[in-house]
Amino acid sequence: MTNPLVPSLLLAPLMSSETMRLILDDRARVQRMLDFEGALARAEAAVGVVPASAVDAIAAACAADRYDLAALGEEAVGAGNIASPLVKALTAEVAKTDVEAARYVHWGATSQDVIDTAQVLELRTAIDALVADINRAIEAFTALAGRHRRTAAVARTELQHALPMPFGLKLAGYAAALARARERLRRLRKEALALQFGGAAGTLAALGERGLEISDRLAALLDLPLPDAPWHGHSDRLAEIAAALAILTGTCGKIARDIALLMQTEVAEAFEPARADRDASNMIHQRNPTAAASALAAATIAPNLAAAIIAGQVQEHERGLGGWQAQWTAFPALLLVTSGALHAVVDIAQGLDIDADRMRRNLDATQGLILAEAVAFALAPKIGRPEAQKIVDEASRTAVARGRNLHDVMREDARIAAQLTPGELARLFELMGYQGAAQTFIDRQIGSLQSRATKRL
């Protein structure tokens, strides 16, 4: 089963990126396990624990295309894990050319060392792929935020019109949230992806006094941090990575939800990019949010997969029973749906179709009521907040009852005229005149992203 989430050529592309599917391919996973075995032989030979003459034969056999994956999978049922039959097959493969070298395959290691370190190597490659996609989405949303920082749009709270806002603020918020997800992944790539090497019970007893030296060399060969001690019974690092992946998927889901709502026929303010291969519906008036649907589906699935990994922290003594094994399928599945959500958001960000004219018409839908708060806060310092609120409420009710624009109603209200000149009142109804610190917030978010990019260079 190449795809642990959806073993289907038809469904997998809906929920994952092609890059992630290649990373999680069965043969790629076996190769990472073999990379551990090859590096182990080199590290042990360097300190004289195994003969140097054994290294070449072992290294030559550490090629995944030499092994029957289906046979390994069947043997794993009896062994309880994939590492045991792989080590057996590797030993047999080495013995074909060097019987003596075959004696030193997997020397002093245990199945969990192979499986967990391969998992760490897999996560490292997966995180690199995710960060590359996050970068593309951030770049696209940042550019859009700059272009639409003066585009007036409706800010909605509880799905209702609240106040005017620059649409660029929403877009900058998307970029900033994705950047926070990127920073989490980068930190975890550096701190949490550590070598697992402890032997049968996490003591390296089989390697005697050379165990620590071998660990140092093995970590260096695999380019992994060396932890203070083996972590056979503690998967908190992996749990934190799972949480970060679920959070990233949730951020993608939030963006997708917004875009799907903006695409509604009654709203029609922003749209996914139009493509010839998108949803060939008989209802030609529909422009369906297909990318958003993929991201939202992934955001629904991801928290449950992360929960399975987090629950797996509750392990028994020095090696878990059940929780550890649950990670083997939960992690690839989580990586797949995360990649799918992010791929959809990249698609949206790079081709978002924004209708500024429709945004303006929607702002006018409430006939000035969206700026009632602006008038209330302009009057409050002059006559007190309770009286100001009362006047504005009465004017708003009159405007709604008579189907008139609130500005027109207020111009006729003597109580308001006594406090505000016609020009002052008119300025209060300028859509981008009541945006508070929105432009500063855009600058801060975009500036923060640009600052981080400069530091990386």
Side-chain angles (χ1 to χ4, degrees):
M1 182 172 67
T2 297
N3 185 334
L5 177 69
V6 188
S8 167
L9 294 175
L10 297 176
L11 299 178
L14 282 171
M15 297 297 295
S16 60
S17 70
E18 181 180 6
T19 298
M20 192 61 72
R21 293 195 297 276
L22 291 173
I23 291 170
L24 299 175
D25 181 78
D26 281 345
R27 199 165 293 281
R29 173 168 290 183
V30 167
Q31 185 59 60
R32 281 185 281 269
M33 297 171 74
L34 292 169
D35 290 343
F36 171 88
E37 294 292 349
L40 176 63
R42 291 187 181 91
E44 292 177 333
V47 300
V49 169
V50 304
S53 59
V55 172
D56 288 344
I58 294 174
C62 288
D65 57 5
R66 293 190 176 203
Y67 300 94
D68 184 337
L69 300 187
L72 291 174
E74 289 299 322
E75 290 184 44
V77 176
N81 64 74
I82 188 60
S84 296
L86 179 60
V87 169
K88 179 182 176 181
L90 173 60
T91 302
E93 188 69 17
V94 174
K96 291 178 181 179
T97 58
D98 190 332
V99 174
E100 181 65 17
R103 295 174 50 199
Y104 297 100
V105 169
H106 196 63
W107 190 266
T110 192
S111 58
Q112 187 165 0
D113 294 333
V114 185
I115 292 170
D116 282 353
T117 300
Q119 174 75 85
V120 164
L121 294 172
E122 181 173 282
L123 286 168
R124 183 172 67 184
T125 304
I127 286 174
D128 288 345
L130 292 173
V131 167
D133 273 347
I134 293 173
N135 288 340
R136 283 190 279 272
I138 289 174
E139 181 180 355
F141 279 131
T142 300
L144 285 172
R147 289 201 294 271
H148 290 279
R149 65 181 306 148
R150 304 291 177 185
T151 300
V154 176
R156 296 174 171 88
T157 59
E158 297 181 270
L159 295 177
Q160 306 299 308
H161 286 211
L163 294 171
M165 67 175 289
F167 192 62
L169 180 59
K170 185 187 290 284
L171 297 166
Y174 296 160
L178 288 167
R180 291 191 294 273
R182 179 179 62 188
E183 293 310 308
R184 289 187 199 99
L185 291 178
R186 283 177 170 161
R187 175 180 62 79
L188 291 170
R189 186 192 189 282
K190 180 179 179 181
E191 298 175 1
L193 298 181
L195 174 72
Q196 166 53 46
F197 183 55
T203 63
L204 291 176
L207 298 174
E209 61 183 19
R210 310 312 295 270
L212 294 179
E213 190 177 354
I214 292 169
S215 295
D216 286 337
R217 291 179 177 274
L218 180 57
L221 287 168
L222 295 173
D223 193 23
L224 290 173
L226 181 66
D228 293 335
W231 43 275
H232 277 72
H234 298 276
S235 59
D236 52 291
R237 294 180 180 89
L238 298 182
E240 190 175 4
I241 293 172
L245 294 172
I247 291 169
L248 168 58
T249 309
T251 294
C252 293
K254 187 286 188 280
I255 296 169
R257 181 76 75 195
D258 280 2
I259 300 305
L261 292 170
L262 292 172
M263 287 181 68
Q264 289 183 110
T265 305
E266 296 82 359
V267 180
E269 293 180 359
F271 302 87
E272 290 180 5
R275 282 183 7 196
D277 60 348
R278 286 271 163 87
D279 192 11
S281 171
N282 290 325
M283 294 177 285
I284 60 174
H285 61 283
Q286 287 189 335
R287 188 167 172 180
N288 293 330
T290 53
S294 295
L296 287 166
T300 301
I301 296 168
N304 303 288
L305 294 169
I309 294 167
I310 292 169
Q313 286 183 264
V314 185
Q315 298 188 23
E316 300 77 18
H317 302 302
E318 280 60 60
R319 182 171 302 141
L321 182 66
W324 176 49
Q325 289 80 357
Q327 295 174 3
W328 302 344
T329 52
F331 248 125
L334 178 56
L335 288 167
L336 285 168
V337 296
T338 301
S339 75
L342 185 54
H343 183 73
V345 165
V346 171
D347 188 29
I348 290 169
Q350 292 182 335
L352 191 64
D353 183 3
I354 298 168
D355 190 337
D357 292 336
R358 181 57 181 254
M359 289 179 178
R360 178 55 191 256
R361 291 198 296 274
N362 287 342
L363 280 161
D364 293 337
T366 57
Q367 297 198 80
L369 290 175
I370 199 167
L371 284 164
E373 182 188 272
V375 180
F377 273 90
L379 289 173
K382 301 174 183 294
I383 59 176
R385 186 172 180 182
E387 183 64 17
Q389 192 65 55
K390 176 185 175 184
I391 291 172
V392 170
D393 284 348
E394 290 175 358
S396 298
R397 294 178 189 279
T398 298
V400 171
R402 298 179 183 177
R404 299 183 63 197
N405 190 284
L406 180 62
H407 184 200
D408 294 335
V409 171
M410 286 185 166
R411 282 190 300 184
E412 299 168 0
D413 192 312
R415 296 169 298 177
I416 296 175
Q419 305 299 329
L420 299 170
T421 67
E424 289 173 335
L425 183 61
R427 282 192 290 275
L428 291 172
F429 281 90
E430 292 176 0
L431 292 171
M432 284 292 92
Y434 193 67
Q435 58 176 314
Q439 294 299 322
T440 300
F441 293 149
I442 293 173
D443 287 336
R444 284 180 177 178
Q445 292 181 102
I446 292 178
S448 175
L449 295 171
Q450 292 171 340
S451 174
R452 291 174 192 168
T454 301
K455 288 178 181 179
R456 287 196 302 275
L457 294 175

